[in-house]
Each structure stands twice: as structure tokens, then as C-alpha cells.
Amino acid sequence: MMHVFHRDQRESYPVAVRGEGCYLIDSHGQRYLDAAAGAAVSCLGHSDAEVIAAVEAQLRRLPYAVTSFFTTEPAEQLADLLASDAPPGLDKVWFALDGSEAVESALKLARQWAIETGQPQRREIISRRQSYHGNTLGALSAGGNAFRRAPYEPLLVPMHHVSPCYPYREQGVAESDAAYAERLVRELEHEIARLGAENVLAFIAETVAGATLGSACAVPGYFRRVREVCDRYGVLMILDEVMCGLGRTGHLHACLAEDVVPDLLCLAKGLGAGYQPIGAVLIHRKVSDAIASGSGAFQHGHTFMGHAAACAGALAVQRAIRNRGLVEAVRERGQSLGKRLREQFGGHPHVGDIRGRGLFWTLELVRERDTKQPFDPSLGLQARVKAEAMLRGLTCYPMAGCVDGRRGDHVMLAPPYIITEHQLDELADKLARAIDVAIESSK
Ligand SMILES: Cc1ncc(COP(=O)(O)O)c(C=O)c1O
């Protein structure tokens, strides 16, 4: 066990050998309550018999057929299911292997739409600061995570970043939600004007901000106003629901809560729930029709896209989410989780904000609550929380950089949709101890 080039060369990782519902078990028999579902992935837990059987059955019939020669039954059925309850107009599905590839595909679909509709000058993409859209170069260019971008900056495609919707730190004390939304939308409009509206191709945002900002929900009305601005200037709206989609926030699609329909909707993580790697873009017919009736072909593709076994796994996952009432379960359990977090951490001197929706929650850690002063990033508080939680048999998703890409620590929680009330108690308990020990050791 010496040859995997691990993400962090200084770490020694436990060997995960088994999954059992919401728990991961390592080679020493240590059990971890998976309160992050990996990285907001394993929404059905780690041992769903129906999904495993569906993947097995497909592997026996046909593991793979290249999409430039064939389509397959599971790919067609999965696309039909996704289109059947998608927001109106999003009735075509492009398959990808993961979230980054879904975002890459969406950016390219947008560009091809501009060409097909006789607007080849449209090439500017506007995204938001403290966003994350993936690690491939196009997706990283769109992303606004300063830390992740820094080493690759010379290789990135120039894109433009406006403010995220981050009420805890960026909404004025006396500023109403409506006024805050308006201020953000004006900033977007100024950016569009600065670039020349006719040159702007797309605006991309996470509907509920994920890893970098920690489950920050937009203030009411923000996305509706963004949609209006995009429509006014002929700019495509891409929503990235790779992390927050497919039930995670208590809605099948997070944009349903915002009452907007994007032109392109990126999905991954909860699509295959970790049983298979898969991502997708739901495409509005305005975009798909332009390509279908124009050049006729999307000039893009990857060898493993639409992989038959991956589609069969995702189909079983998506049927389970719908047939077992798991979106409703997320809403219910999400309320319990929010309540527990508020009870446990509402008065905590170093928890500045508790935010989230559905089973997607974040604690933002601060040195001082009154001033919202973050901890010194050199303390590596988020890494300490991760280590202390794992020692106690809990995996959560601590991250740094919510304030400005470097400063600010938060702990994100995104447990499986099947988590029980009893496991929520275990989560809150273990997390409280991990946070306290980590903070104590950084003083
Ligand atoms: C919102 C969002 N978009 C895109 C990605 C990239 O997905 P992947 O890691 O599957 O490439 C992520 C990953 O965390 C994400 O949270």
C-alpha cells in the first residue's frame, strides 16, 4: 500500500472496507457515522440492496457501449425519469462522469447555443466569488474559490466574479432581504454592462452554495431577479446543483424553492449516490432545439459518458428517492437536524452562524461572535475538526475560506437521506466534542 498518490501526501488515510447504512467501517473495525455522505454524495447510505442489485444486473447484461455508436436502455430510462419531473422546459439530458464534467459540458453547451443562434460574440461568463464548480480547468475558471484557483491561475480561462449571496457576512445590519438581493442584482447588471451585454454568454451559480461557502441559501427573491436580468440581456442562466440537487435541500431540485428555471442545470453527487460515478446536465429546450435545428450535433463528449452500469445505478437511486418519499424525509429530518444544531450550538461562543436547508447544514466557526472575526487560517482549525471528528467515529465536511477564499472555517453536514433521529443525536454529540477539542487545541 505504497503507490497511490494520495490527495495529501502528509496524511495517512484509514482504509475504508465496508459500508453499512449511514456508517463507514475501516480495516481496524472503527465505525464512522458518515455525516457528510462522503462529499454530499451517498444519499442512500452505503449498502442499498436495490441499487447494488440494479448495477449487478446491468453489469451482467452489458457494462458499457460507447455513446457515439449506441444508446442503452438504462441511459434512456434514466433520462426519461429525470425529464419527467424536471422544472418545465428542461427535457433533455446530457450525461457526464462527475460534477466537474457536468459543469464543463454546460459551459460548452452555452457556447454552442450562442454560435447556433448567430451570436458568436457571446463568450463572457460571470460567476460568483467563493463558489465551487469543480476542479477541471474550465470549471475551476468558473469557480471563485481563491485557494483552489491560486496555483493554476495562469492556466485558467478568464471569467468574471460578482458577489455571492452570503447574508451572514455581506448583508447590511439594517438591510432588508429585498434590498440586499437588489444590491447583488445591480452588481450583476453592472458587470454585464461593463462587459457589453451582447458579449455575455452565461451566469453560473450554485443554487445553494456548497463547499466553499457552506450551505448558504440565497435571500428570497434573489434568483428570480437574477433570472429577470439574464432574460433581459439574453444571458443563459446555469445553475450548479451538483451538491445541493436531487433532494439534498428538501426539494428534488433546489431551484424549485427559488421559483426559477435555469437554462442548464448541472447534477452529479446524489445522482448516482456513490454507487456509480455519474453526472448530468438537464438542458432547456431553448438550448437543445437551437443545436438540434442548427448544426445538429453537440461538439463534445467523453469515452465513458452515459456508461450503462452507471446509468442503471443512478436509475435505481433516482427511483428510490422518488418511490420511498425521501425528499419529504429530507425535509423532516432536516428540520430535526437544524433544531438539534441550534440547541447544541446556538449559544456556543465560537459558532457564529448556523445555516442550511434540508439535510444540508453548516456551522461557521469564529474566534469572536460579536465581531465575526474568523480564526487565523494558519491554525488549520478545519483540519483539526476533521481529525477530532474522525477520532470519535464521525465524518463531517470542514472547509476553510468562506470569508474570502482563505480566512474563515466552517463545518458542513450533509448526511444520507436515510439518517435516523437517533443518529442525528449521535452526530450532534460527536460534532460538539470534536469542535470543542479542536478549538481548545488551537488557542
Ligand atoms: C457545486 C459543485 N459543482 C461541481 C463540483 C465538482 O464535482 P466533482 O468533484 O464530482 O467533479 C462540486 C464538487 O464538490 C460541487 O460541489
Side-chain angles (χ1 to χ4, degrees):
M1 306 245 289
M2 296 284 290
H3 298 284
V4 175
F5 191 73
H6 289 289
R7 281 179 181 231
D8 189 332
Q9 302 296 299
R10 300 154 297 187
E11 281 235 14
S12 114
Y13 297 90
V15 182
V17 292
R18 212 152 51 79
E20 221 179 81
C22 294
Y23 292 87
L24 282 164
I25 297 136
D26 75 15
S27 53
H28 297 291
Q30 164 78 303
R31 293 168 69 84
Y32 304 85
L33 175 61
D34 193 4
V41 170
S42 306
C43 56
L44 299 186
H46 297 281
S47 53
D48 193 282
E50 263 178 50
V51 180
I52 293 166
V55 175
E56 254 178 33
Q58 184 59 42
L59 284 173
R60 284 183 209 289
R61 270 197 303 276
L62 172 73
Y64 166 75
V66 67
T67 48
S68 44
F69 287 23
F70 294 101
T71 185
T72 61
E73 286 169 358
E76 294 294 334
Q77 289 170 4
L78 176 59
D80 286 351
L81 177 59
L82 293 173
S84 72
D85 51 15
L90 294 172
D91 58 6
K92 293 281 191 242
V93 182
W94 173 265
F95 288 116
L97 287 186
D98 58 22
S100 302
E101 256 192 28
V103 169
E104 295 286 337
S105 304
L107 297 175
K108 284 178 128 181
L109 277 163
R111 172 64 189 156
Q112 198 169 329
W113 163 84
I115 296 168
E116 306 276 7
T117 54
Q119 309 177 81
Q121 80 291 349
R122 285 198 188 268
R123 59 190 168 86
E124 306 294 353
I125 292 172
I126 304 176
S127 169
R128 305 190 301 178
R129 284 188 283 105
Q130 280 108 295
S131 56
Y132 182 61
H133 295 295
N135 260 334
T136 51
L137 291 175
L140 193 62
S141 304
N145 180 316
F147 176 76
R148 294 199 197 217
R149 289 172 58 97
Y152 305 106
E153 206 66 62
L155 307 183
L156 300 183
V157 184
M159 294 191 192
H160 315 278
H161 296 87
V162 293
S163 301
C165 192
Y166 183 15
Y168 173 58
R169 286 190 182 274
E170 300 192 2
Q171 182 171 9
V173 187
E175 192 175 36
S176 68
D177 285 352
Y180 179 41
E182 216 39 52
R183 174 158 65 83
L184 294 174
V185 168
R186 266 203 312 277
E187 182 188 341
L188 173 62
E189 252 185 308
H190 282 146
E191 188 61 7
I192 292 174
R194 188 183 72 78
L195 296 165
E198 69 287 1
N199 299 320
V200 180
L201 179 60
F203 171 73
I204 178 168
E206 296 155 275
T207 316
V208 176
T212 308
L213 213 45
S215 60
C217 300
V219 291
Y222 165 79
F223 274 111
R224 271 201 308 278
R225 291 284 292 117
V226 167
R227 178 74 265 186
E228 282 166 24
V229 166
C230 288
D231 287 343
R232 186 171 321 135
Y233 299 106
V235 172
L236 291 185
M237 182 185 199
I238 304 174
L239 288 182
D240 179 350
E241 299 196 2
V242 164
M243 188 173 263
C244 65
L246 296 170
R248 172 58 57 200
T249 61
H251 297 267
L252 186 61
H253 299 291
C255 59
L256 294 173
E258 307 299 338
D259 198 21
V260 289
V261 179
D263 299 301
L264 296 161
L265 182 64
C266 302
L267 306 171
K269 297 184 185 275
L271 181 56
Y275 289 87
Q276 291 286 287
I278 183 166
V281 185
L282 304 192
I283 311 171
H284 196 280
R285 60 175 83 94
K286 151 179 162 188
V287 176
S288 57
D289 283 355
I291 296 175
S293 62
S295 69
F298 179 31
Q299 239 174 288
H300 184 55
H302 291 270
T303 302
F304 293 120
M305 60 179 279
H307 191 280
C311 288
L315 179 61
V317 170
Q318 293 311 307
R319 283 180 174 156
I321 289 176
R322 288 154 179 80
N323 299 343
R324 296 181 203 164
L326 290 178
V327 178
E328 296 72 31
V330 168
R331 263 190 227 186
E332 253 171 56
R333 290 289 135 67
Q335 280 183 1
S336 291
L337 177 55
K339 183 163 167 277
R340 274 175 175 76
L341 294 176
R342 281 189 286 267
E343 280 165 8
Q344 187 94 41
F345 299 100
H348 195 290
H350 297 295
V351 175
D353 194 27
I354 302 171
R355 56 177 174 260
R357 183 182 288 166
L359 280 174
F360 197 33
W361 283 87
T362 293
L363 306 177
E364 184 166 335
L365 306 178
V366 288
R367 181 172 279 292
E368 233 184 65
R369 263 163 78 128
D370 288 350
T371 59
K372 303 184 183 176
Q373 186 199 353
F375 283 91
D376 184 336
S378 68
L379 295 171
L381 179 59
Q382 45 92 23
R384 290 175 198 245
V385 174
K386 178 181 168 194
E388 292 297 338
M390 282 190 83
L391 269 177
R392 287 163 179 78
L394 178 77
T395 60
C396 50
Y397 197 144
M399 279 283 290
C402 55
V403 176
D404 56 11
R406 205 176 77 84
R407 292 177 312 139
D409 300 275
H410 63 269
V411 184
M412 213 169 66
L413 301 165
Y417 303 170
I418 58 167
I419 195 162
T420 63
E421 294 288 334
H422 179 67
Q423 289 163 342
L424 288 178
D425 287 337
E426 180 184 344
L427 184 168
D429 232 45
K430 288 182 169 170
L431 183 61
R433 278 185 284 139
I435 288 177
D436 285 343
V437 174
I439 289 177
E440 204 44 50
S441 73
S442 22
K443 276 183 176 164

